[in-house]
Amino acid sequence: MHYIDNILFVILLIAGFGLFTKSLQKIYRNIRLGREINRSDRKNERWETMARVAMGQSRMSARPVAGVLHLFVYVGFVIINIELIEIIIDGIFDTHRFLSTIFGPTFYNIFTATLEILALLVIIGVVLFFIRRNFYDVKRLTMKELFGWPKNDANWILIIEFALMMAFFTMNSSDFILQTRGFDGYHHLGAFPISEMTLVPFLEIFSFDSSFLEIVERGAWWFHFVGILFFMNYLYYSKHLHIILAFPSTWYANLDLYGKFNNLDSVTKEIKLMMDPNADPYAAPAEGSEEAPSKFGAEDVFDLNQVQLLNAYSCTECGRCTSVCPANITGKKLSPRLILMKTRDRLEEVGKNIDKNEKFEDDGKKLLNDYITKEELWACTTCNACTQACPILLDPLSIILEMRRFLVMEQSAAPQELNLMMANVENNAAPWQYNQADRLNWAKD
């Protein structure tokens, strides 16, 4: 019978990690649909940024209460799942608490006790997050853009994490009782301070026999294992992909000034050519020189760079960016969070198109207009509040700027106010409509 359990365990293990790998490959393929961008410079600074922001949670401290609770959940959940190593070894080789043979009794007691304390902190964190998200009017968490799947997704993750931690405590509590009874196969291994104070007294009230407690312990063990595999594969459909993608997102983050508008080399060369009286404007470009891009700016996800697409998948939907956006605060349609969410939705739609047709077949849709409207784009003040507020250094502003570039350079579709300003710069060498000879009048006094 144990061999059947071991075989089933291995099948589930392979299937779970196989599906997870397939999901990661799909995400990687979709991100690769974007334009290449070189972010391999300043490596030491990038490693330091990733360690400080993704691992150290440094930006979460801007909102201390949420930051501390997130730290509970993040650190607790990650470290507790180190126990997955023990579960995998026990499941394959039919052992029980294998790490005790590696750590020794004293260190294993410290190890299991630490996991219990962390599990309790996770439970406290997810319960308070659930109450805060559903019963307190935190504006950024109750906005219309989160209605439906985004809100349900956030709640499901909290429920799953709570269930996994309760299964962990149930497993330890029944295991502890069986150890104290000297039940066959259960030796005195590990220390369970939280379980001893909570679930152990509860289970002992009912005087369950040892055979039943063995079923409870095994059931909780299997639930914990299968739950972790389910959680891992659910991530693909969830905003909680940031658990994984926050690390590459912070490593590839923009280290230059926020909102710095990048010049296009092809445009710079063209302007220099126009200003050179000796240049031949009809001459073929020199061999090896950079040709002008086929399209200026971004109309669809293919026109964005790969880091911007990675950002779209990494968005935590926390809304910190939107909560500080002056355009959104004053009632305009722009929401930086929604810019990333819509980019991800379009990218997923493109990915499904490729899955179905083996290559992208034109579906008559674009990121611009079908997902993100011109009204949203032009509402942005480029103040950088969104990029400053993001806890994992995402950059929705860069997407807005690229889509604006497309509107101006490809469609000549800038608002009238901007067209007037650009005409003045062209004709008067200043944004204002007056004669060039009067440009320095402001300095006379």
Side-chain angles (χ1 to χ4, degrees):
M1 183 65 182
H2 284 301
Y3 291 120
I4 295 175
D5 290 346
N6 300 142
I7 293 170
L8 177 61
F9 181 91
V10 171
I11 291 172
L12 288 174
L13 185 67
I14 293 172
F17 276 90
L19 289 171
F20 180 62
T21 302
K22 186 176 180 181
S23 295
L24 291 182
Q25 288 174 338
K26 191 176 293 186
I27 291 169
Y28 179 73
R29 179 206 63 190
N30 291 350
I31 291 172
R32 295 276 294 174
L33 295 174
R35 292 179 175 178
E36 291 188 6
I37 180 172
N38 184 6
R39 289 274 175 87
S40 59
D41 60 329
R42 299 151 70 176
K43 287 185 173 61
N44 290 339
E45 189 175 350
R46 293 189 179 282
W47 284 115
E48 185 273 331
T49 300
M50 185 181 75
R52 174 172 45 84
V53 178
M55 188 173 295
Q57 308 277 295
S58 61
R59 286 199 160 204
M60 294 298 294
S61 60
R63 299 174 188 261
V65 175
V68 170
L69 292 177
H70 190 274
L71 193 65
F72 285 174
V73 177
Y74 167 74
V75 174
F77 193 76
V78 169
I79 294 179
I80 278 172
N81 284 319
I82 293 175
E83 192 198 23
L84 185 62
I85 298 171
E86 184 174 61
I87 289 177
I88 290 174
I89 295 172
D90 287 347
I92 294 174
F93 299 104
D94 196 26
T95 54
H96 186 67
R97 297 194 174 274
F98 172 81
L99 289 182
S100 63
T101 62
I102 304 296
F103 293 160
T106 302
F107 188 72
Y108 190 71
N109 285 348
I110 296 171
F111 172 69
T112 53
T114 302
L115 293 186
E116 288 233 323
I117 293 168
L118 291 172
L120 178 62
L121 293 178
V122 172
I123 287 179
I124 292 171
V126 297
V127 168
L128 292 178
F129 272 138
F130 188 87
I131 293 171
R132 180 168 171 267
R133 182 172 286 273
N134 293 280
F135 301 104
Y136 280 79
D137 187 23
V138 180
K139 185 178 178 181
R140 65 189 173 91
L141 302 178
T142 57
M143 298 176 70
K144 186 177 180 181
E145 62 200 51
L146 292 183
F147 288 3
W149 171 248
K151 180 180 177 66
N152 293 335
D153 169 44
N155 284 333
W156 274 117
I157 283 289
L158 295 174
I159 292 169
I160 291 170
E161 290 179 339
F162 178 82
L164 288 174
M165 295 304 102
M166 289 306 299
F168 175 73
F169 280 124
T170 302
M171 176 183 72
N172 285 349
S173 299
S174 50
D175 195 333
F176 175 79
I177 296 173
L178 291 171
Q179 289 181 25
T180 58
R181 293 181 183 179
F183 191 73
D184 185 37
Y186 291 85
H187 310 291
H188 286 281
L189 300 170
F192 314 107
I194 308 301
S195 294
E196 285 187 55
M197 291 188 294
T198 55
L199 283 183
V200 167
F202 175 79
L203 291 174
E204 288 183 331
I205 288 174
F206 296 96
S207 300
F208 294 124
D209 63 43
S210 297
S211 297
F212 178 77
L213 285 176
E214 183 184 24
I215 295 172
V216 171
E217 190 272 335
R218 288 289 84 193
W221 184 90
W222 276 99
F223 182 90
H224 191 73
F225 168 66
V226 174
I228 290 172
L229 295 183
F230 175 80
F231 179 87
M232 187 170 64
N233 284 282
Y234 176 76
L235 289 179
Y236 174 80
Y237 306 95
S238 170
K239 74 186 184 75
H240 286 75
L241 261 175
H242 73 270
I243 293 173
I244 300 168
L245 298 185
F247 291 90
S249 283
T250 49
W251 201 90
Y252 287 111
N254 177 25
L255 299 181
D256 292 326
L257 295 173
Y258 290 138
K260 181 181 178 181
F261 198 66
N262 64 309
N263 292 321
L264 297 176
D265 289 340
S266 56
V267 175
T268 303
K269 290 176 182 177
E270 184 177 347
I271 291 172
K272 288 180 177 179
L273 185 68
M274 292 169 62
M275 297 177 68
D276 184 356
N278 300 316
D280 180 3
Y282 301 103
E287 185 176 350
S289 65
E290 181 186 351
E291 295 183 5
S294 59
K295 184 186 294 183
F296 294 106
E299 182 185 20
D300 207 350
V301 290
F302 303 101
D303 309 317
L304 295 171
N305 67 52
Q306 292 170 2
V307 173
Q308 289 167 328
L309 300 185
L310 172 63
N311 281 186
Y313 270 122
S314 305
C315 178
T316 71
E317 298 177 14
C318 67
R320 293 187 182 208
C321 54
T322 296
S323 70
V324 297
C325 174
N328 188 274
I329 291 170
T330 53
K332 297 178 178 64
K333 286 190 175 180
L334 174 64
S335 167
R337 167 173 57 188
L338 203 51
I339 294 293
L340 290 171
M341 291 169 67
K342 288 177 176 179
T343 302
R344 181 178 61 210
D345 290 344
R346 173 58 180 163
L347 188 54
E348 272 296 290
E349 184 178 50
V350 168
K352 290 175 182 176
N353 183 310
I354 295 173
D355 290 337
K356 180 180 179 181
N357 303 303
E358 297 185 352
K359 64 177 182 177
F360 180 72
E361 298 285 350
D362 187 11
D363 58 1
K365 295 181 182 180
K366 303 289 183 182
L367 180 62
L368 179 63
N369 295 324
D370 291 301
Y371 284 82
I372 299 173
T373 65
K374 296 175 185 176
E375 182 180 355
E376 292 171 90
L377 296 174
W378 291 115
C380 177
T381 67
T382 67
C383 69
N384 289 302
C386 57
T387 53
Q388 295 268 12
C390 181
I392 54 172
L393 303 178
L394 305 186
D395 191 5
L397 176 59
S398 67
I399 296 176
I400 293 172
L401 292 179
E402 284 302 315
M403 297 184 76
R404 279 183 173 182
R405 197 199 304 257
F406 175 83
L407 288 171
V408 173
M409 298 186 70
E410 294 284 345
Q411 295 188 339
S412 300
Q416 181 59 31
E417 295 86 352
L418 281 182
N419 285 330
L420 180 62
M421 182 273 293
M422 288 187 283
N424 288 335
V425 169
E426 183 177 359
N427 297 320
N428 306 324
W432 301 279
Q433 195 169 7
Y434 50 62
N435 191 287
Q436 289 197 37
D438 298 328
R439 289 179 64 222
L440 296 179
N441 286 351
W442 65 274
K444 286 183 178 179
D445 297 327

